[in-house]
Amino acid sequence: MTSQFQNLSNKDVYQCIKDDILTLKLEPGQYISENEFSKKYNVSRTPIKSAFLRLMSEKFIEILPQRGTYVTLLDLEYIKEIIYMRTVLETEVILTAIDCLEDKVLDKLEDNLKQQEELIGIDTFEIEDFYKLDSEFHFILFDFVKRTKLWEIIQEFQVYYTRFRMLDIVATGSFEKLYLEHFTLYQCVKAKDKEGVKEQLCSHLHGNLDRLSGKIDNELKKYFIN
Amino acid sequence: MTSQFQNLSNKDVYQCIKDDILTLKLEPGQYISENEFSKKYNVSRTPIKSAFLRLMSEKFIEILPQRGTYVTLLDLEYIKEIIYMRTVLETEVILTAIDCLEDKVLDKLEDNLKQQEELIGIDTFEIEDFYKLDSEFHFILFDFVKRTKLWEIIQEFQVYYTRFRMLDIVATGSFEKLYLEHFTLYQCVKAKDKEGVKEQLCSHLHGNLDRLSGKIDNELKKYFIN
DNA sequence: TATAATTAACTTGTATTCAAGTACACAAGA
DNA sequence: TCTTGTGTACTTGAATACAAGTTAATTATA
């Protein structure tokens, strides 16, 4: 039997493993080994090692010398700081946007909300698609105030946060809530209600923390440090 | 002749190269090769490759397949976003700190300022020592409002910014100015002058940008993208 | 039975070799 | 003079063999 993966370049292997970690196909804490992936991707240990080293430096995996390699557990303290950081930065960005608001931005937001609504209407839809729309919604205002690079920088820190949000969507199926929060936030922006934006954004970004907090101590405990 | 480096572990090689990049001993844009470092550190290409891969994923170097490896150039757009990010986050942190100020924090800040003053008094002092005190000064308030993890997160993004600050100190010798800015910021904090903090922090964090801006188009041009 | 030593089967780390691609100097030809 | 081809010396990429360390089961010993 041959592997399903043929002629994969170095970068492809890295991307495949990373995607599997972000979509929780490789679970937090799961044991993996170079030999295992060497067989799976039908290449020698060297390119696997390259991918592993990169994933390690990005904190997706942890390499214990002569012992083994593990997918990193989620660090709740770290996640809380990311949420704080995002709240502070995004509040600033949206308040700036409100001061020079244009119709085309509101249209983009409306269009995105419509897409979210349609997606939820479908019985079976890919979670990753909703995740994508969610990200895009937030990006629209960063893009408008010309802070796309800042958005990229924040994205780079999503090592634990992306998996956390993915866990929220999978474990609690909170699509409708997320959609409503986005809708409310949109209304605040449209009405130029600065105080409303602050409140909504804060509760929206802390939302998955609230929803998951009960499960973190129970069935999802194994995915977190401590 | 044997190398001056013996029995260096994988991590040591990584740290050595990284330090050399951050302190500009390896210049932005400089060509480096695996063989060169293999000889320098007296190990095979494999551990050098490990270090290079990690440095690449952290954007310290750029590996061009079959062509060569180069220390990354400084990205001014990126640096500006980091400065914006730091300004927004640190303003929020300091304003929070002012609301629950304690004497011990002011003492720490004063003590740090004293050390800065003493260091500048010495004729020949290590630039890295001043850089360290500078960082510590800013860290004190993050630590006080229990945002040490946020500080660490911001630090991780210093790939270009650390070298930029180092360049400021080296190229303009702006110790006294930096010291005075720190002192003024301290006075604002002590007086609980929130507006003053906002102004001072903003101009302080944008200071090296102002000082270097002239040289970026001339003698330091080779260190930057575009 | 309980404990300690041994062994075998795993890890990842390193060195080495070869493969594939690039860059540049240099010479042949128009 | 300019262009083109070619060879050489470089680069990084990948495969392989072995080294060194960990773990856990098994065996020998008290």
Side-chain angles (χ1 to χ4, degrees):
Chain A
M1 194 184 90
T2 55
S3 166
Q4 66 178 114
F5 304 100
Q6 299 283 342
N7 303 323
L8 284 181
S9 84
N10 193 347
K11 207 167 187 176
D12 292 331
V13 172
Y14 159 79
Q15 197 59 52
C16 280
I17 302 175
K18 183 176 162 182
D19 286 344
D20 282 350
I21 292 174
L22 286 177
T23 56
L24 305 174
K25 280 164 202 156
L26 292 171
E27 298 184 16
Q30 185 174 336
Y31 166 80
I32 56 181
S33 88
E34 294 180 0
N35 279 322
E36 176 195 346
F37 280 74
S38 179
K39 285 174 194 162
K40 182 176 174 185
Y41 290 105
N42 213 31
V43 290
S44 80
R45 268 181 58 213
T46 311
I48 299 294
K49 176 121 210 138
S50 294
F52 272 28
L53 281 166
R54 186 162 174 196
L55 291 166
M56 182 196 64
S57 94
E58 290 168 358
K59 297 207 173 79
F60 283 106
I61 64 175
E62 195 176 3
I63 299 175
L64 306 177
Q66 267 83 37
R67 294 172 70 186
T69 304
Y70 299 83
V71 177
T72 49
L73 289 170
L74 298 173
D75 184 338
L76 199 57
E77 287 307 308
Y78 194 99
I79 290 166
K80 283 179 182 171
E81 288 305 296
I82 297 286
I83 291 174
Y84 174 78
M85 186 174 91
R86 262 202 70 169
T87 307
V88 171
L89 291 172
E90 196 163 341
T91 300
E92 187 73 18
V93 163
I94 298 184
L95 293 189
T96 305
I98 283 180
D99 285 335
C100 51
L101 213 52
E102 292 173 21
D103 283 344
K104 62 167 187 179
V105 192
L106 292 173
D107 291 345
K108 275 188 190 174
L109 289 173
E110 262 183 70
D111 182 58
N112 179 285
L113 284 170
K114 210 167 195 171
Q115 287 184 57
Q116 284 186 42
E117 206 182 339
E118 282 171 15
L119 193 68
I120 295 174
I122 302 169
D123 270 6
T124 53
F125 65 89
E126 291 296 320
I127 287 165
E128 283 144 73
D129 289 337
F130 186 82
Y131 185 90
K132 215 173 176 179
L133 281 175
D134 187 340
S135 298
E136 270 173 25
F137 178 82
H138 290 274
F139 172 70
I140 290 169
L141 290 169
F142 276 80
D143 183 35
F144 174 58
V145 296
K146 300 204 170 32
R147 295 277 172 203
T148 58
K149 211 121 192 172
L150 179 61
W151 175 258
E152 284 166 25
I153 290 172
I154 296 174
Q155 290 312 107
E156 281 179 40
F157 272 123
Q158 310 272 331
V159 199
Y160 306 118
Y161 193 42
T162 296
R163 286 185 286 172
F164 188 70
R165 283 171 60 196
M166 203 67 84
L167 209 56
D168 178 29
I169 300 178
V170 174
T172 71
S174 47
F175 310 103
E176 283 86 358
K177 276 186 187 167
L178 286 172
Y179 168 72
L180 280 175
E181 286 170 14
H182 287 150
F183 186 74
T184 313
L185 190 59
Y186 161 75
Q187 286 183 314
C188 290
V189 171
K190 192 176 181 181
K192 300 194 178 190
D193 173 11
K194 292 188 176 183
E195 283 308 311
V197 163
K198 283 185 190 176
E199 276 175 40
Q200 282 303 316
L201 190 63
C202 188
S203 69
H204 173 52
L205 293 179
H206 285 77
N208 31 30
L209 202 57
D210 297 335
R211 279 186 294 275
L212 281 175
S213 60
K215 300 191 176 185
I216 291 171
D217 294 325
N218 298 304
E219 66 256 46
L220 298 179
K221 197 171 184 177
K222 59 177 177 174
Y223 286 163
F224 290 84
I225 291 175
N226 292 342
Chain B
M1 191 185 94
T2 56
S3 167
Q4 67 179 114
F5 304 100
Q6 298 284 344
N7 303 320
L8 284 182
S9 82
N10 194 345
K11 208 167 186 176
D12 293 329
V13 172
Y14 159 79
Q15 197 59 51
C16 280
I17 302 175
K18 182 176 163 183
D19 285 345
D20 282 350
I21 292 174
L22 286 178
T23 57
L24 305 173
K25 279 164 201 157
L26 292 172
E27 297 183 17
Q30 184 174 337
Y31 166 80
I32 56 181
S33 87
E34 295 179 1
N35 279 322
E36 176 195 347
F37 282 75
S38 178
K39 283 173 194 160
K40 182 176 176 185
Y41 290 105
N42 213 30
V43 289
S44 83
R45 268 181 60 211
T46 312
I48 299 293
K49 178 121 210 139
S50 293
F52 272 28
L53 282 168
R54 187 164 173 195
L55 290 166
M56 183 198 63
S57 95
E58 291 168 358
K59 297 204 173 81
F60 283 107
I61 64 174
E62 196 176 3
I63 300 175
L64 306 177
Q66 268 84 38
R67 295 171 68 187
T69 305
Y70 299 84
V71 177
T72 50
L73 290 170
L74 298 174
D75 184 339
L76 200 56
E77 287 307 309
Y78 194 100
I79 290 166
K80 283 179 182 169
E81 288 306 296
I82 297 285
I83 291 173
Y84 174 79
M85 185 174 92
R86 261 202 70 171
T87 307
V88 172
L89 291 173
E90 196 163 340
T91 300
E92 187 72 21
V93 163
I94 297 184
L95 293 189
T96 306
I98 283 179
D99 286 333
C100 52
L101 212 54
E102 290 174 19
D103 283 344
K104 62 168 186 180
V105 191
L106 293 172
D107 290 346
K108 276 187 190 174
L109 290 172
E110 264 184 70
D111 182 58
N112 179 285
L113 285 170
K114 210 168 195 171
Q115 287 183 58
Q116 286 185 42
E117 207 183 337
E118 282 174 13
L119 193 68
I120 296 174
I122 302 170
D123 269 7
T124 54
F125 64 89
E126 292 295 320
I127 286 165
E128 283 144 71
D129 289 337
F130 186 82
Y131 185 90
K132 215 172 177 179
L133 282 174
D134 187 341
S135 297
E136 271 173 23
F137 178 84
H138 290 273
F139 173 70
I140 290 169
L141 290 170
F142 276 81
D143 184 36
F144 175 58
V145 296
K146 299 202 170 37
R147 296 277 172 203
T148 58
K149 211 122 194 171
L150 179 61
W151 175 258
E152 284 166 25
I153 290 172
I154 296 175
Q155 290 311 107
E156 281 178 40
F157 273 123
Q158 310 272 331
V159 198
Y160 305 117
Y161 191 43
T162 296
R163 285 185 286 173
F164 188 69
R165 283 171 60 197
M166 203 69 83
L167 208 57
D168 178 29
I169 300 180
V170 174
T172 72
S174 47
F175 311 104
E176 284 85 359
K177 276 184 188 167
L178 286 172
Y179 168 73
L180 281 175
E181 287 170 14
H182 288 149
F183 186 74
T184 312
L185 190 60
Y186 161 75
Q187 286 182 313
C188 290
V189 171
K190 191 177 181 181
K192 299 192 177 189
D193 173 10
K194 291 187 177 184
E195 284 308 311
V197 162
K198 284 185 190 176
E199 277 175 41
Q200 282 303 316
L201 191 61
C202 188
S203 70
H204 173 53
L205 293 179
H206 285 78
N208 30 31
L209 202 56
D210 297 334
R211 278 187 294 273
L212 281 176
S213 61
K215 303 193 174 185
I216 290 172
D217 294 325
N218 299 304
E219 65 254 48
L220 297 179
K221 197 172 186 177
K222 59 176 178 173
Y223 287 163
F224 291 86
I225 291 174
N226 290 341

